[in-house]
Structure formats: C-alpha cells, structure tokens
C-alpha cells in the first residue's frame, strides 16, 4: 500500500456563516497525511449548477445534511478507500460515476465537493507542500486582485436592493497587501458615511453594509463618495464592480427593479447599464442579464466588452459546456469559478481551463454561505486565476480568506501579484 492511498473518509455535519448545516469531509491517507474541507452554500444559486443534497422536512428549514453526510460516510468512503489520494482525476471520476447524475443530486454536490477538496488537501499535505504550491506544479503562482464587497443587496439582504453586490476593485494597488489596505479604507469610509446619513441597517450575508437606499443607482453614488472619502481616485485607484445576479429579478421575460418600480426589457436594461458605465467607474459587471438571456448577454458584451469586464456566474455555473456556449456566443469575457457549482476539483479545473482557452479572465469565488475553510484562496493563487471574490472586509468567514492570502503572499513574495491586468478585457490583450 502506498503512503498516499486513502485509508479513511469521514463526513460530519458542521455549520456555515448563516448558521445553516453543511458538510465537512476529512480524508486520511495511509502515510498519516490528512486533509479537511467544508462545502460552502449559495443563496442566489444558478439554475444549472450542481445541487446540494438537503434533507427537507421541518428541521433547519429543510436544510439538514444528514443524507449528504451519510453518503460521505457510506458509499463514498467505501468507494474511495484504497484509491490513490494523490490521483485527483481518478478519485473525482469515481465520485462522478458513483453519483451518476448530471447535477450531483444523488450524492449531493455538498458531499462531493467536500470530499474532493479534502482529498486535495491531504495530497498536498502528503507531498509536504502548501496547497497553492502543490496546485501550481512549478508553474507561476500569483496573488489575485481582490474584489471586495462594500454593499450587499438582493437575496443576501432581504432584497432591500435589487442588485446583489456592490464591490470595489483596488486596481491602483501594486501588491495584495496594499489592495486589502485600500479595500479596508473604502469599506470603513462607506460604513461611516452611511451611519452619518442614517442609511445603515447592519451587514448583509457577505459582510457588506446593508444599506437603506431609495434606488439601486444611489448605491453607486455612495460607492463614489466612499472611495473619495477614503482618499482614492475613483476608477484610477479604486474601481467599482457590480454583481447584478439578474436572474433573481427576471420574471416573464422582463427585469423587475422593485426599488425603482420599473419593469425593463433586456434592451432597456442594457441601456441603463451602459449609461451607468458612462457615469460611474464600473470596471466589471457580473450576471448583468439572466442565466437564460443569452441574447442580452451577447448584445451587452458586444457593446461594452471591449472596455469592461463582463462576468458569467449563474450564466456559466463553472460548467465546461456552458462556458463553451458562452465562448461561441461571445456572451461574456470573464468566468466566475465556484468549485461547488461543479461538485469536484477536477470539474472545476476543467471549467477553469475552458474559460482560459476561450480567452476569458477568471475569478475564483466563494459563496454567500461560507466557513473558515480557505481552500479557494489556494486555488486562486496556485492556478494564477487573477482575481478573487469572497465578500466583504468583515465577518470571519470572509476575512479568513483575505488573511490566508496574506500568508501565501509572504511565501510567494509581494511582487507576485496579478494586478489590474488580470481583469478583462486587459487580460485578453496581454502578451
Ligand atoms: P451565492 O451568491 O453564493 O448566494 O449564490 C454569490 C454570487 O452570486 O456571486
Ligand atoms: Zn454572482
């Protein structure tokens, strides 16, 4: 038996940042190495992503994970025992075959991603390497440009705003450390300004301020104020990124902006966003149109894709087929990469490679339901993804990720930072 053969796979129920049940997996190898990982959970999930297995019924709002945990301790443990823990492709293929569905609904993507990531952690530990280094396999690893949430809306803040995420990208930073300092300055300035104006009602699910604004565009004005109050030049030093999560307010072929009392067609929404792009230093639009509005995405990308980043999250769901479709339809120029949308590390990597092959910029992302697990920061660095999005500059499940990046920066050196060129369309035109 080799030192990396899998001796034990354990599942247990732990809790996420919303106080909901989730799955933790532990993988032990024969040589003594161990790895551990926890599945995150989305609230504004894409229709086409891999699904979590939830118990249903009255307990925990139906969100229990007893079946998913039992799948880890039962069929998954049985199947993986004796396999090579260092052969990620083989063990992910075994998980995929054992599940047998297109969306991981039999075993649960919460079970498979926890096990897949735990095995990856164990393999890195057996190799005596930090995970980011293990993933880089000698290729260049770099710290990503952070995308940091300032205001939360949509499904993460009781739909107080229709748009989901208002973020800053500290493009003027020359290191990850500096980028975090700048994000911290803007985050705190925004909180102070909102408090003074009586617009603050707590923090949203990802730690961004939960604002009480009369309209979606008001949030953009406050973003500008906060950037300036923090002492930065908007656009030049700190830009704005939006995640509209537009599927959330798309019903019956129309976009319903409840805040504005408006119902917009795809073309009208495109007009409004184009106007915003002219008025505000918006560098990145995520899911500006619904997950099935390919025409809306393609038209918008044609119009603005040469100047700003247009990201597919719910549109692409970290799925190679949807990424291939988006590439041929030119429906975006960047891909959000969320491991639990795919369900295994190997499928996540395949989606990442497909996005890169299409010339897309890539952003590794957490979910609105997170934990202390910081594996994704290692994926972002080890794969040189270029950008990282894990919420705001508050709440420990978010800050755990930023802090892990700082530890990696120490090992890698501050100069190894992807910088503003990581964003599309700059990335695509880089030599
Ligand atoms: P979710 O949202 O994790 O609630 O799905 C995050 C995002 O849309 O980026
Ligand atoms: Zn999103």
């Amino acid at each position: 038996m080799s030192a990396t053969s899998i001796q034990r796979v354990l599942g247990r129920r732990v809790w996420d940042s919303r106080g909901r049940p989730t799955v933790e997996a532990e993988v032990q190898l024969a040589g003594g190495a161990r790895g551990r990982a926890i599945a995150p959970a989305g609230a504004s999930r894409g229709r086409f992503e891999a699904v979590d297995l939830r118990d249903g019924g009255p307990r925990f709002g139906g969100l229990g994970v007893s079946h998913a945990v039992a799948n880890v301790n039962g069929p998954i443990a049985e199947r993986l025992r004796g396999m090579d823990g260092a052969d990620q492709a083989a063990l992910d293929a075994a998980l995929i075959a054992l599940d047998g569905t297109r969306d991981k609904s039999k075993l649960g993507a919460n079970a498979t991603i926890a096990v897949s990531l735990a095995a990856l952690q164990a393999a890195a530990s057996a190799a005596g390497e930090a995970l980011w280094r293990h993933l880089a396999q000698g290729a260049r690893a770099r710290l990503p440009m952070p995308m940091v949430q300032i205001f939360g809306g949509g499904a993460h803040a009781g739909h107080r705003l229709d748009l989901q995420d208002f973020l800053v990208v500290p493009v003027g930073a020359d290191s990850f450390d500096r980028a975090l300092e700048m994000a911290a300055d803007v985050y705190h300035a925004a909180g102070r300004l909102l408090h003074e104006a009586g617009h603050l009602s707590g923090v949203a699910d990802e730690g961004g301020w939960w604002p009480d604004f009369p309209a979606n565009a008001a949030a953009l004005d406050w973003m500008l104020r906060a950037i300036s109050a923090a002492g930065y030049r908007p656009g030049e030093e700190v830009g704005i990124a939006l995640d509209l999560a537009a599927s959330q307010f798309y019903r019956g072929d129309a976009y319903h902006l409840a805040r504005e009392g408006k119902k917009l067609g795809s073309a009208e929404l495109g007009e409004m966003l184009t106007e915003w792009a002219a008025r505000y230093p918006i560098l990145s639009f995520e899911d500006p149109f619904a997950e099935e509005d390919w025409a809306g995405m393609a038209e918008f990308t044609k119009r603005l894709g040469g100047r700003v980043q247009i990201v597919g999250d719910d549109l692409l769901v970290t799925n190679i087929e949807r990424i291939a479709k988006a590439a041929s339809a030119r429906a975006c120029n960047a891909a959000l990469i969320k491991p639990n949308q795919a369900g295994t590390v190997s499928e996540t990597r395949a989606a990442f490679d497909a996005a890169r092959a299409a010339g897309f910029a890539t952003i590794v992302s957490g979910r609105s339901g997170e934990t202390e697990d910081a594996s994704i920061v290692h994926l972002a660095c080890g794969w040189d993804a270029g950008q990282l999005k894990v919420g705001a500059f508050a709440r420990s499940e978010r800050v755990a990720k930023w802090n892990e990046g700082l530890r990696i920066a120490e090992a890698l050196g501050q100069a190894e930072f992807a910088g503003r060129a990581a964003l599309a369309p700059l990335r695509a035109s880089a030599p």
Side-chain angles (χ1 to χ4, degrees), residues 110-134:
N110 43 356
T112 59
I113 194 61
V115 170
S116 183
L117 277 168
L120 179 68
Q121 292 277 7
S125 164
E129 286 175 327
L131 180 54
W132 65 266
R133 199 185 289 279
H134 184 68

Side-chain angles (χ1 to χ4, degrees), residues 76-87:
I76 293 178
E78 214 166 285
R79 178 67 187 85
L80 297 192
R81 210 174 296 127
M83 285 188 76
D84 184 1
D87 190 346

